[in-house]
Amino acid sequence: MSKTTAAPATIAFAGLGAMGLGMAESCLRAGHRVLGTDLNRTALDRLIAAGGRELTPDSAGEAGIFVSVVLNAAQTQEVLYGESGFARHLPPGAVIVSSATIAPEQARDNAARAADMNLLYLDAPISGGAARAATGELSIMASGAQEAFDAAAPALAAMARSVHDLGRDAGAGSAMKAVNQLLAGVHIAAMGEALALGISQGLDPERILQVISASAGTSWMFENRAPRVVEGDYEARSAIDIWPKDLGIVTDIAQGAALSTPVAEAALTRFREASRQGLGALDDAAITRLYAAEAGLSLPGKR
Amino acid sequence: MSKTTAAPATIAFAGLGAMGLGMAESCLRAGHRVLGTDLNRTALDRLIAAGGRELTPDSAGEAGIFVSVVLNAAQTQEVLYGESGFARHLPPGAVIVSSATIAPEQARDNAARAADMNLLYLDAPISGGAARAATGELSIMASGAQEAFDAAAPALAAMARSVHDLGRDAGAGSAMKAVNQLLAGVHIAAMGEALALGISQGLDPERILQVISASAGTSWMFENRAPRVVEGDYEARSAIDIWPKDLGIVTDIAQGAALSTPVAEAALTRFREASRQGLGALDDAAITRLYAAEAGLSLPGKR
């Protein structure tokens, strides 16, 4: 999918992983100049091969848009405001688009620091997975000043199919992402639990997939992940190790609000256990393997 | 919706509640003769007003199809094989269609007893809610002998939009229903947890509904139940009290298979607590009220 804009912008990316590289390439396809940096040199080489350049303290001065799409809050903090952080090298009025899943409070802190440095900040977590990042069809849950939305518009248009505007205050985007991750993480764990239950009763996994997908028990995650169990394919598109982090943020936020989240906690405990057992780098559909192993059940092998 | 068949059958219903009455009326509309019984005389009067007759030990002798759609396994047992049970009054070769949510083991027991009495048995739990029962558009997860399917066909055609044939053995239908209920119950509890989390962070419930329905965190239950929270409408279409029963069956089955189901157990514990606090007769979307009350959050009032 190719998107074009009238005025090419210079867009910097910190983080060229499964999501970041696809987002950067979507910006290149839309005709923008793209800078990038990643701890993994191979990822940077791929960006350069696609027509991008390396993001350095010097070249950061050209970037009107800075997209941070690193792993977590600590990395976001580091890449923006740490000793080798880029915020101080950005031109005045540039916009930081922060896309890692972080707590709303951290998004508000980051936005306040950006304002102190005469920078704009968009709290802009992403949803949709690596495939949609690559095609520029992400869903973005964004909040921030109108000026931040306006300044980020060329990048948002290139990267996203839908941008949900959640208001003028940083934090709302991250809050909505937490709501989404609570549901998504619980639904994946429940999928594993339900498939294992059905298999323990002699049901065929493929038949479970067919019937449940057409029933009230279905979810976006069930329909997306259960086919991987049926195929026996656990190559990570979204790894188990995402969930201790993201559901940890969910339960932290909830605790701060005196809200009990026992269902999310049960799912979190399952993902932590799967990670502890060495399944962390597998696709999150492999949570089903944790259940199956405990009950001595056989899952379909790779076809 | 009206469905017609070539040969009118006589179909008996034990249980004329929210589901059973709608199913019975769907059979009447399809041109069949319908008999019914219920502890609640008002329900029976409504069936009679719609053109049905009372099911008695005498009239049971006319019924080639006997649909049991009572509350649980104990009532199913009672209405079929108890002191005033109807099985012994059915004509030889009649088919019992058992639609309550029960354990697979109980379905197998019921089927064996039916066979001993020269009756057919279809393990046929239903999904779709009262609205679809009324319009003859249920989804039925069915298993049993081919003869049982054939004998039940006129009733199935009148009551269901889709009949999932899960094989020749009683128990598979109930197993698939348990898989569905695990997911559905967990998804409802997760919806309440997620809405409360979002509201605790200042998000508008209606905006949460919009954004999540278009995101990876969505589920059939989220899209069906969250609007009730947004509307502040907790009049029961499916009551909280269903879930301690159905998720209890789920965890019982799992325990019998040495399968841990911590996510389902967390949801079960929430529904039990909601029931204990007097919310049991409300719509299951009211699980959100349990979370909100604990964290001191305001939910939308009735519009």
Side-chain angles (χ1 to χ4, degrees), chain A residues 14 66-68 74-90 96-98 110-111 113-114 117 119 121:
Chain A
F66 184 93
V67 181
S68 173
Q75 285 188 10
T76 301
Q77 183 74 16
E78 185 63 27
V79 82
L80 292 177
Y81 308 119
E83 264 185 45
S84 316
F86 287 96
R88 74 177 69 99
H89 303 294
L90 297 175
I96 294 165
V97 177
S98 179
N110 288 343
R113 290 188 72 162
M117 299 170 78
L119 298 170
Y121 186 92

Side-chain angles (χ1 to χ4, degrees), chain B residues 107-185:
Chain B
R108 285 187 286 268
D109 287 350
N110 288 343
R113 290 189 72 162
D116 288 345
M117 299 170 79
N118 203 19
L119 298 170
L120 298 164
Y121 186 92
L122 198 65
D123 176 23
I126 51 181
S127 171
R132 289 209 195 150
T135 54
E137 297 178 288
L138 288 174
S139 170
I140 303 188
M141 302 170 183
S143 67
Q146 188 59 51
E147 295 74 18
F149 272 95
D150 293 345
L156 299 179
M159 301 187 301
R161 185 168 63 182
S162 55
V163 177
H164 301 286
D165 180 349
L166 299 167
R168 302 286 68 81
D169 298 315
S174 289
M176 190 68 84
K177 181 71 190 284
V179 171
N180 187 71
Q181 296 307 83
L182 185 161
L183 291 162

Side-chain angles (χ1 to χ4, degrees), chain B residues 64-136:
Chain B
I65 305 172
F66 184 93
V67 182
S68 173
V69 53
V70 291
L71 188 63
N72 55 25
Q75 285 188 11
T76 301
Q77 183 73 16
E78 184 63 27
V79 83
L80 292 176
Y81 308 119
E83 264 186 46
S84 317
F86 287 96
R88 76 178 68 99
H89 303 294
L90 297 175
V95 60
I96 293 165
V97 177
S98 179
S99 293
T101 300
I102 64 179
E105 189 60 36
Q106 294 164 326
R108 285 187 286 268
D109 287 350
N110 288 343
R113 290 189 72 162
D116 288 345
M117 299 170 79
N118 203 19
L119 298 170
L120 298 164
Y121 186 92
L122 198 65
D123 176 23
I126 51 181
S127 171
R132 289 209 195 150
T135 54

Side-chain angles (χ1 to χ4, degrees), chain A residues 185-262:
Chain A
V186 166
H187 294 173
I188 292 168
M191 174 213 69
E193 210 164 288
L195 286 177
L197 178 69
I199 292 166
S200 79
Q201 302 303 305
L203 297 176
D204 171 50
E206 188 156 9
R207 197 78 180 105
I208 299 173
L209 173 60
Q210 290 166 349
V211 174
I212 297 298
S213 295
S215 299
T218 197
S219 68
W220 193 98
M221 279 297 172
F222 184 89
E223 293 179 39
N224 189 264
R225 302 300 207 265
R228 301 179 188 175
V229 179
V230 170
E231 299 290 329
D233 177 7
Y234 300 103
E235 190 183 316
R237 272 133 295 188
S238 179
I240 287 216
D241 273 342
I242 297 291
W243 293 107
K245 177 178 77 69
D246 282 16
L247 286 174
I249 291 172
V250 164
T251 55
D252 281 354
I253 298 172
Q255 202 160 22
L259 175 70
S260 67
T261 50

Side-chain angles (χ1 to χ4, degrees), chain A residues 4 116 125 153 164 188 201 210 214 283:
Chain A
T4 53
D116 288 344
H164 301 286
I188 292 168
Q201 302 303 305
Q210 290 166 349
D283 193 88

Side-chain angles (χ1 to χ4, degrees), chain A residues 28 34 152 182 187 217:
Chain A
L28 280 170
V34 172
L182 186 161
H187 294 173

